[in-house]
Amino acid sequence: QRPGAARHRWHRRGHQLSNPFAGMEIPSPAFSLDEVAALLGERYGLSGPLRSLGSHQDQNVMVDAALGRFILKISNPGFSHEGLQAQNAAMLYLSERDVPFRVPVPLPDKGGNLIGSVSRDGADDRRHVELQGDLRQGCCPSPTSRSARGSGP
């Protein structure tokens, strides 16, 4: 490996290419599909076939449940609760407008929270988790009987 390979790339003609973002990568969470299935069942009462969706920052998994299609988003720990609340507010705002595209909406867990926390093996590596609504319908009934407007810690 050439010196500085972590910060620089080499062009096929031998020219050095600089990467100003080297070392600043944000790793995505890496929960197994079994862990995601358990989380969906425990927190949302959902089950069904799972499909991992690509993401550069978060882990997104689609579930085709009996109630519809949902996305479970496990956020990167580098993103704040307030930032996720802002994302949810934007989705709710758009879902109430006449926009020419479908808008997923955040849905509450069994406790009525739109954003929850999850950690592995009791580690202090907390990540935010949220469920987003049926992508086929754009907006869907909650898998729980609670209001989709609820908020949580």
Side-chain angles (χ1 to χ4, degrees):
Q1 190 174 34
R2 297 179 183 186
R7 193 131 182 90
H8 301 285
R9 232 177 59 200
W10 296 89
H11 188 273
R12 61 184 164 82
R13 293 184 182 163
H15 302 282
Q16 188 174 5
L17 302 174
S18 179
N19 180 358
F21 300 107
M24 297 171 58
E25 295 87 359
I26 301 175
S28 298
F31 284 74
S32 71
L33 290 182
D34 288 340
E35 290 173 306
V36 170
L39 192 59
L40 281 165
E42 292 166 11
R43 302 230 180 146
Y44 300 98
L46 294 174
S47 63
L50 302 177
R51 184 167 56 125
S52 186
L53 305 174
S55 176
H56 294 285
Q57 302 167 1
D58 304 314
Q59 182 176 5
N60 298 299
V61 179
M62 182 170 58
V63 57
D64 280 311
L67 292 173
R69 180 174 285 172
F70 303 91
I71 303 295
L72 183 74
K73 174 182 176 177
I74 303 172
S75 297
N76 187 290
F79 295 102
S80 70
H81 184 80
E82 292 77 17
L84 296 172
Q85 286 178 316
Q87 290 176 23
N88 287 350
M91 286 187 284
L92 289 168
Y93 177 85
L94 289 172
S95 73
E96 296 170 350
R97 302 302 182 275
D98 185 23
V99 294
F101 49 87
R102 293 179 178 167
V103 179
V105 294
L107 299 169
D109 62 17
K110 290 179 179 179
N113 301 310
L114 292 179
I115 302 171
S117 294
V118 64
S119 63
R120 288 175 144 160
D121 303 323
D124 192 25
D125 182 20
R126 301 199 68 72
R127 297 168 190 266
H128 293 104
V129 60
E130 65 180 306
L131 188 70
Q132 295 176 359
D134 191 325
L135 301 181
R136 289 178 287 189
Q137 298 173 12
C139 181
C140 63
S142 169
T144 64
S145 60
R146 304 197 190 280
S147 166
R149 300 251 180 243
S151 63

